Amino acid sequence: MHVLLDNVGLFRRGFLGTVALTGLSALLALGLGTVLTLFRVSPVPPLRAFGTAGVTVLCNTPLTLLFFGVTLGLPMVGLSGLSYFTLAVLTLGVYTSAFVCEALRSGVNTVDVGQAEAARSLGMSFAQTAFLVVLPQAGRVAVPPVGSLLITLTKNSALAGGFSVYELFSVEKTLAERGYAILTVFLWVSVAYLLLILTISALFRLLEHRLAVAR
């Protein structure tokens, strides 16, 4: 217990860093994932091709390699003013958005085609049909897989610690360098991650219950 009590400031900084990193990356992933989903179901062939290519590349690129590409590549093209935290948010958010897209697209496939056709017969545009008819129903189906993706995102955020972003995994490295027992430090870091994951799981279970359709 003294490891935690003697280093409360470090653990608090690392915990808040992970919360901020996960939260901002999740918002980016949900927004970009929705856009990619619209691209993939769009009636415009170039948009479908772009969405498919983007999802394929991101889903098949190791996250560590993507971190190296963003943190080393963007400064080379003139974007040197971005902080490592911002670069980490971009990397995690863009990477996770591809999987969010696939989860939402699976939900879209469960929506009866007749509903989209009925919306178009009423004169609704593609955007209106998507946002008012299709996506609200697809979102209900996609809640459980999206929750799992955000839990994975929380754990993936530990990679940011290797790229000059201070979060929970960075706490372990700092305390190990100070001579604290590695297993004890790992225990407290694991407890912190567990609290975050249990909180996300509880929120999504509540959301799933609230959005459940009575049968």
Side-chain angles (χ1 to χ4, degrees):
M1 181 64 78
H2 75 279
V3 174
L4 176 63
L5 297 178
D6 292 346
N7 301 279
V8 171
L10 282 179
F11 277 102
R12 180 173 59 249
R13 180 186 172 193
F15 184 81
L16 294 178
T18 296
V19 170
L21 187 60
T22 302
L24 293 174
S25 300
L27 291 176
L28 177 60
L30 292 173
L32 185 56
T34 301
V35 173
L36 287 173
T37 303
L38 293 175
F39 282 3
R40 295 211 65 183
V41 300
S42 170
V44 182
L47 290 180
R48 287 202 307 272
F50 178 81
T52 301
V55 169
T56 300
V57 170
L58 290 171
C59 287
N60 291 282
T61 301
L63 181 55
T64 304
L65 180 62
L66 193 60
F67 259 109
F68 275 111
V70 171
T71 55
L72 299 179
L74 290 185
M76 293 177 63
V77 297
L79 297 176
S80 57
L82 298 177
S83 65
Y84 283 111
F85 180 84
T86 301
L87 294 176
V89 169
L90 289 174
T91 303
L92 290 168
V94 171
Y95 177 78
T96 308
S97 69
F99 298 94
V100 171
C101 169
E102 291 300 275
L104 285 176
R105 192 168 68 91
S106 298
V108 169
N109 291 335
T110 66
V111 180
D112 193 283
V113 178
Q115 297 194 38
E117 293 176 347
R120 285 194 294 269
S121 69
L122 293 173
M124 297 176 69
S125 65
F126 172 76
Q128 289 174 321
T129 301
F131 285 105
L132 298 178
V133 178
V134 178
L135 286 180
Q137 298 180 72
R140 294 185 179 213
V141 178
V143 167
V146 168
S148 297
L149 288 173
L150 295 189
I151 289 174
T152 302
L153 170 62
T154 303
K155 293 183 285 188
N156 285 343
S157 67
L159 284 173
F163 295 87
S164 302
V165 178
Y166 205 88
E167 40 71 62
L168 280 172
F169 190 68
S170 302
V171 175
E172 183 275 330
K173 293 191 298 181
T174 301
L175 295 183
E177 291 172 356
R178 294 182 180 180
Y180 286 94
I182 294 179
L183 290 179
T184 304
V185 176
F186 264 125
L187 173 64
W188 287 113
V189 170
S190 299
V191 168
Y193 275 113
L194 183 61
L195 288 174
L196 284 175
I197 290 171
L198 289 177
T199 300
I200 294 172
S201 298
L203 289 175
F204 272 84
R205 279 198 301 270
L206 177 61
L207 185 61
E208 184 179 2
H209 176 72
R210 293 290 298 271
L211 295 178
V213 179
R215 299 183 183 275

